[in-house]
Amino acid sequence: MSQEHRDWQVEKQRLQTVTSLIKKKKEDLQEVSADLKKDVIELRRTFWDDVTVNIDEPDDVLETQASMKQRAELLSERERSHGLLHQQAKTLRRLEEAPYFGRIDFIEDGEKEAEPIYIGIASLMDENDEDFLVYDWRAPISSMYYDFAPGRAQYPTIEGDVEGEITLKRQYIVKGGELEGMFDTGLTIGDELLQALLGQQSTPQMKSIVASIQREQNQVIRNERSKILIVRGVAGSGKTSAALQRVAYLLYKHREKLNAGNMLLFSPNPLFTRYVSNVLPELGEDNLQQTTLFHHFQKRLPKGWQLESPYAQIEYFLSEQVEPIRSQGLAVKTSPELSDQLHAYLASLSDSGLMFKDLYFRGDVWVTKMQMEQYFYQLDERMSIPNRLELVVEWLLQMLQITEKEERPNTWVDEEMDLLDEETYKRVFEKVNENEDELGNDQMMEETLLRKLVVRRKIQPLRKQIQAFDLVDMEKMYIQFYRWANNKVIAEEIGYFFQDKKLHWEDAAPFFYLEDQLKGRPAYADIRHIFIDEAQDYASIQILYLQNLFPTSRMTLLGDANQAVHAHTNAGHSPLIEDPSAQKQETITLLRSYRSTQPIVEFTKRLIPNGEQIESFERPGPKPEIMHTGDEHEKDLCSLVQELTKRDSGTVAVITKTFAGSEQIWEWLDREGMSAQLIHEQTSEFKEDLLVLPVYLAKGIEFDVVVVSDASAAEYHLERDRYLLYTACTRAMHELYLCANGELPPLITEGVRQSYVQG
């Protein structure tokens, strides 16, 4: 019997032993959980039976409260225990499918024998809970599996690094508790495993494949040094997956003081949010909070206002009717210099320039903007603007109390009292009766209470406005800023849109940042980690806004400058560029692409500058195919899509440049009887295997087959179009087709032509 065969038998037997133990642990856990569930149900049913309720004397009240508290704490403890057992059961079910995926044999310096260390998605102890049969992939000792080849290695502990030698590094393919493959490997995770994983068809949700983490991705996952971590990863390099596994690692490492509620991911759109929603639950962790910057700003909008979505902005700048003033304004509002200008403007407001708005009560001016301005600038200018505004608010609330008393005898109150409903009269009458010793029991006291009630209700909106610091005329302040910065034309354009209560996407961050700097805003102290995906599409002011909102949070920025699709990114300003002055900032670059086959990567990397730096993973597949359609564009494209869907190619995505283009393609396919899902910016999940979507909504997502609807020079002729086309093509995992309705664009040069075939 060969050594290889003996190893296979030993590993197969060990796997059977481990899975048998998992089944036993699962059965034991089910029994304990069932008993605990009965306890919880019984405690809930008999809660009041065992509580002594007596409120006759003060001591009895205290005794009753103590009894209730004791009972509630007991119930809460049982419920927590049951929840913990439920989580343990979920973990065991996942381990039963595949207890582990890797192994290293490690001889610690000073020891004589190597210890086999098996690595899986969660830890597993032996029957006596004394020794580890499987180590969690996030444990410090497991880091050696990702970071070292056989030979000298080390891993961190609280007491310092443990050093030694790895004598064996082995990987397994385990499915349904059965050993399907194993092989010994070197530094990186073996090609055999990656081939098996990457060759599978795409799914509607991203999978968490911790077995395939590469060394450079592991650096992203376990980085705890950096306040700001920038991950620049080429298309398909696994940066988003690594970031989510970073979340899982941090939750594991700091489980005593960190939970999923302390983390927030800014996604590009709802579809992406849904796409990545499965990763953390697969690893046994709760999902972190997710939102989009657009959704965040929408919640801050004043009532009745409309905010342009980032994708509506993209569509506008891809159109042929772009106003020059809008382009000029975009360049100013997204430039790195904008923050310095805003801070200089804010400094200038210390002694003059703050613009208030009149406050109204019952349709008349109650306090004028001039009165507030005078009061504000009489205060010590060494105080910050938010602190001075707080004093203005206190002054106004004091005056409001006086106004409230003064208004009660007025005749308008009589008119309002006549309109009160019967229920209100009844409540006031009952209150008078309850407090007859203090108030007396007569009609006069009833009227006094009713007058107080009427005035309080009428004055409440004004009180809320003051308490919300809604005193400063933010619209005028924002317009004034551009006048102050000698951008009068831009100021006029903003004023024009503000008349219709509309806010351009590029105005949202500077507008709300200015508001926060003037009024002050409580920081989100509970958020400890911020993750921003597709960060290359963020302007400098948007990042600054988030840093101001989450000042104590660590920030992870993920992106690829070659996938920048927003108009402002053409200026070369990107948060992915390192700031030499930034404290504790670190950049990790991922250059190897795993998503696409080697032929697709070799084609796409020729579309962009410095693309030769991109490394392809050696996964075979057909070369990308370019089809010249000409006058038969609709017919040829529909025929191609029909052929792809008939042979069960997995998910087929027809990617267009604009949403208008997607709508047209969807109508063509519908006429041909093909059931396709048209993806728009509110779409949150895939419902079909045939999808039609604009390129900017496809970012971060992968499909088995991609058809670029029209890769002609007419469609992709500008320099910025290079990155749109690159983004579209890099969504393909296995097959890529480009339909060209006319001549090919100049960016598909002679150097590119050798990497595709003609259809």
Side-chain angles (χ1 to χ4, degrees):
M1 183 185 296
S2 67
Q3 182 62 44
E4 184 177 342
H5 185 65
R6 282 195 294 271
D7 287 349
W8 175 268
Q9 293 301 320
V10 169
E11 293 287 11
K12 194 171 181 180
Q13 180 58 50
R14 184 188 192 273
L15 181 61
Q16 289 174 352
T17 303
V18 171
T19 51
S20 296
L21 177 63
I22 292 171
K23 288 175 182 176
K24 184 177 184 304
K25 281 178 175 275
K26 200 171 70 168
E27 290 168 1
D28 294 344
L29 202 63
Q30 285 171 345
E31 287 183 19
V32 176
S33 181
D35 291 341
L36 199 55
K37 186 176 181 179
K38 289 178 184 176
D39 286 351
V40 170
I41 293 171
E42 184 66 15
L43 277 169
R44 286 175 179 169
R45 189 180 66 80
T46 62
F47 186 91
W48 293 105
D49 295 348
D50 298 321
V51 173
T52 304
V53 179
N54 193 335
I55 56 174
D56 294 337
E57 300 293 335
D59 288 347
D60 295 333
V61 172
L62 291 175
E63 184 181 341
T64 298
Q65 290 175 341
S67 177
M68 289 174 63
K69 184 180 178 184
Q70 184 180 26
R71 196 69 178 167
E73 285 176 350
L74 179 62
L75 176 59
S76 179
E77 186 272 329
R78 291 287 193 276
E79 288 175 335
R80 279 197 304 271
S81 297
H82 185 262
L84 185 61
L85 290 178
H86 179 69
Q87 285 296 110
Q88 290 174 354
K90 282 172 63 177
T91 300
L92 287 172
R93 284 196 295 271
R94 293 198 316 275
L95 285 174
E96 192 174 9
E97 277 292 306
Y100 44 83
F101 53 78
R103 165 188 171 182
I104 52 174
D105 289 3
F106 181 67
I107 304 179
E108 186 180 333
D109 287 350
E111 299 292 330
K112 294 181 179 179
E113 292 187 7
E115 177 190 358
I117 298 161
Y118 286 82
I119 299 162
I121 60 168
S123 295
L124 179 70
M125 305 292 286
D126 64 10
E127 196 164 5
N128 299 318
D129 288 336
E130 294 176 350
D131 296 316
F132 280 97
L133 295 177
V134 181
Y135 285 88
D136 192 295
W137 66 276
R138 297 166 288 188
I141 197 170
S142 303
S143 65
M144 293 189 293
Y145 174 74
Y146 300 107
D147 287 342
F148 293 98
R152 294 295 297 175
Q154 61 189 46
Y155 68 93
T157 68
I158 296 175
E159 298 175 353
D161 289 349
V162 174
E163 298 184 0
E165 183 177 354
I166 294 175
T167 59
L168 175 72
K169 186 172 182 180
R170 180 170 288 170
Q171 291 176 253
Y172 308 93
I173 298 177
V174 181
K175 292 181 182 177
E178 295 293 328
L179 185 62
E180 293 191 357
M182 76 174 201
F183 39 88
D184 296 346
T185 186
L187 174 61
T188 59
I189 306 307
D191 286 358
E192 295 94 332
L193 179 61
L194 275 176
Q195 289 283 10
L197 294 171
L198 299 174
Q200 298 171 0
Q201 287 191 351
S202 67
T203 63
Q205 293 182 322
M206 179 184 284
K207 293 293 183 183
S208 170
I209 310 173
V210 292
S212 66
I213 294 170
Q214 304 295 290
R215 184 178 187 180
E216 65 273 15
Q217 294 166 337
N218 199 42
Q219 292 173 0
V220 174
I221 293 166
R222 295 176 190 262
N223 183 293
E224 296 194 70
R225 302 179 299 273
S226 311
K227 171 80 172 175
I228 300 176
L229 178 62
I230 298 173
V231 183
R232 293 193 299 221
V234 302
S237 57
K239 51 188 176 292
T240 301
S241 177
L244 292 169
Q245 284 161 153
R246 171 172 168 77
V247 172
Y249 168 76
L250 292 168
L251 291 174
Y252 172 86
K253 178 83 179 290
H254 305 287
R255 51 192 176 277
E256 299 299 326
K257 53 185 180 180
L258 200 64
N259 60 59
N262 302 132
M263 299 182 169
L264 178 60
L265 169 65
F266 281 92
S267 299
N269 54 59
L271 184 64
F272 182 87
T273 300
R274 175 73 174 177
Y275 180 65
V276 302
S277 64
N278 201 46
V279 174
L280 288 168
E282 272 195 359
L283 295 171
E285 302 290 354
D286 292 332
N287 250 325
L288 78 172
Q289 301 177 69
Q290 295 188 57
T291 188
T292 65
L293 190 59
F294 175 66
H295 181 65
H296 168 80
F297 282 143
Q298 268 194 318
K299 290 194 293 185
R300 292 199 57 175
L301 279 179
K303 188 177 181 180
W305 279 69
Q306 287 182 311
L307 173 62
E308 175 190 48
S309 77
Y311 300 118
Q313 185 209 58
I314 292 175
E315 288 283 343
Y316 173 79
F317 279 99
L318 288 176
S319 73
E320 302 297 327
Q321 291 85 33
V322 179
E323 295 282 345
I325 184 59
R326 179 85 189 266
S327 295
Q328 181 187 340
L330 180 75
V332 170
K333 297 166 192 175
T334 57
S335 70
E337 294 76 31
L338 184 73
S339 59
D340 292 336
Q341 290 178 323
L342 278 168
H343 290 147
Y345 172 64
L346 287 161
S348 76
L349 298 174
S350 182
D351 54 12
S352 67
L354 198 61
M355 303 170 76
F356 291 85
K357 51 188 176 185
D358 294 332
L359 296 179
Y360 289 83
F361 176 63
R362 296 189 64 246
D364 297 323
V365 175
W366 176 66
V367 174
T368 68
K369 53 191 173 186
M370 187 63 70
Q371 287 174 306
M372 284 182 279
E373 184 180 348
Q374 288 174 347
Y375 188 91
F376 178 88
Y377 282 112
Q378 285 172 0
L379 298 169
D380 188 347
E381 67 178 52
R382 290 174 297 181
M383 295 173 63
S384 69
I385 290 176
N387 285 345
R388 280 192 273 177
L389 276 177
E390 196 168 334
L391 293 178
V392 174
V393 166
E394 289 179 11
W395 168 63
L396 290 171
L397 290 174
Q398 288 171 1
M399 289 210 303
L400 199 61
Q401 286 181 329
I402 296 170
T403 299
E404 194 172 350
K405 290 179 181 178
E406 291 175 345
E407 290 292 327
R408 288 171 192 162
N410 291 343
T411 55
W412 70 265
V413 180
D414 295 297
E415 296 169 3
E416 294 281 342
M417 284 170 58
D418 291 340
L419 300 174
L420 291 174
D421 57 72
E422 187 179 338
E423 184 64 30
T424 302
Y425 276 104
K426 184 180 178 183
R427 286 203 309 270
V428 170
F429 178 76
E430 288 173 351
K431 185 172 183 180
V432 170
N433 285 337
E434 287 172 8
N435 300 278
E436 57 184 338
D437 292 338
E438 299 174 26
L439 301 175
N441 186 12
D442 55 28
Q443 188 175 354
M444 184 179 295
M445 293 313 302
E446 187 175 318
E447 182 181 340
T448 300
L449 288 177
L450 285 170
R451 286 183 175 277
K452 283 183 178 181
L453 176 65
V454 167
V455 175
R456 188 178 301 119
R457 282 183 177 179
K458 201 73 173 180
I459 220 161
Q460 188 61 14
L462 179 56
R463 178 178 279 110
K464 285 183 177 180
Q465 182 183 358
I466 295 168
Q467 290 172 335
F469 282 59
D470 187 15
L471 319 171
V472 180
D473 195 326
M474 282 308 307
E475 291 82 16
K476 288 184 178 177
M477 292 298 300
Y478 186 62
I479 293 168
Q480 179 182 265
F481 160 65
Y482 289 102
R483 289 200 180 103
W484 174 89
N486 294 319
N487 288 309
K488 295 180 181 178
V489 178
I490 296 174
E492 289 175 9
E493 190 243 4
I494 295 170
Y496 173 76
F497 276 91
F498 277 8
Q499 288 177 4
D500 295 328
K501 295 188 175 182
K502 291 180 179 178
L503 194 65
H504 283 149
W505 175 244
E506 63 267 26
D507 285 307
F511 179 87
F512 289 120
Y513 181 77
L514 178 63
E515 182 177 45
D516 290 349
Q517 293 300 304
L518 289 174
K519 298 181 180 180
R521 185 176 178 85
Y524 288 86
D526 58 322
I527 300 296
R528 307 274 295 281
H529 287 269
I530 295 290
F531 296 82
I532 301 176
D533 213 335
E534 304 295 344
Q536 75 279 351
D537 289 330
Y538 281 61
S540 302
I541 188 64
Q542 291 172 329
I543 296 295
L544 181 64
Y545 168 84
L546 292 175
Q547 288 176 324
N548 182 65
L549 204 61
F550 305 99
T552 61
S553 297
R554 292 177 179 266
M555 188 173 280
T556 302
L557 304 174
L558 313 156
D560 176 14
N562 291 315
Q563 295 182 66
V565 299
H566 286 263
H568 69 264
T569 55
N570 291 330
H573 309 312
S574 171
L576 300 178
I577 298 173
E578 287 188 77
D579 180 1
S581 63
Q583 294 277 328
K584 292 187 177 179
Q585 179 176 295
E586 187 174 348
T587 298
I588 296 176
T589 302
L590 307 176
L591 290 173
R592 175 168 281 203
S593 178
Y594 298 98
R595 173 188 296 135
S596 306
T597 61
Q598 188 172 22
I600 293 175
V601 174
E602 291 302 316
F603 170 77
T604 55
K605 75 187 211 179
R606 287 174 165 83
L607 298 176
I608 54 172
N610 303 313
E612 67 278 359
Q613 297 177 2
I614 299 174
E615 303 168 15
S616 59
F617 178 70
E618 295 181 6
R619 184 160 64 88
K623 281 187 175 185
E625 186 174 320
I626 294 182
M627 297 175 56
H628 293 271
T629 55
D631 295 337
E632 300 290 321
H633 185 63
E634 177 182 345
K635 178 183 175 183
D636 291 345
L637 187 142
C638 289
S639 296
L640 171 63
V641 173
Q642 197 162 41
E643 178 192 336
L644 293 170
T645 54
K646 277 183 179 178
R647 59 181 169 88
D648 192 22
S649 301
T651 53
V652 177
V654 182
I655 299 181
T656 63
K657 184 178 177 181
T658 65
F659 183 70
S662 289
E663 287 182 306
Q664 183 182 54
I665 299 295
W666 181 82
E667 289 172 1
W668 291 353
L669 297 174
D670 186 56
R671 280 202 296 267
E672 294 297 322
M674 283 181 271
S675 179
Q677 182 182 0
L678 177 63
I679 306 296
H680 51 76
E681 60 181 279
Q682 283 86 35
T683 302
S684 61
E685 61 182 320
F686 299 137
K687 296 179 180 177
E688 302 282 351
D689 285 336
L690 176 57
L691 311 161
V692 185
L693 68 168
V695 57
Y696 52 78
L697 291 179
K699 294 176 62 166
I701 304 174
E702 60 191 24
F703 310 98
D704 293 299
V705 183
V706 164
V707 177
V708 178
S709 66
D710 184 7
S712 66
E715 193 79 349
Y716 295 93
H717 55 280
L718 299 175
E719 180 59 25
R720 71 180 183 194
D721 294 336
R722 174 189 302 277
Y723 304 102
L724 289 167
L725 185 59
Y726 172 78
T727 303
C729 293
T730 53
R731 302 307 93 204
M733 292 176 62
H734 308 302
E735 297 178 60
L736 172 62
Y737 299 87
L738 298 91
C739 296
N741 185 12
E743 293 184 6
L744 293 177
L747 59 95
I748 300 183
T749 61
E750 288 295 332
V752 182
R753 287 196 175 99
Q754 61 183 299
S755 62
Y756 67 84
V757 296
Q758 298 279 357

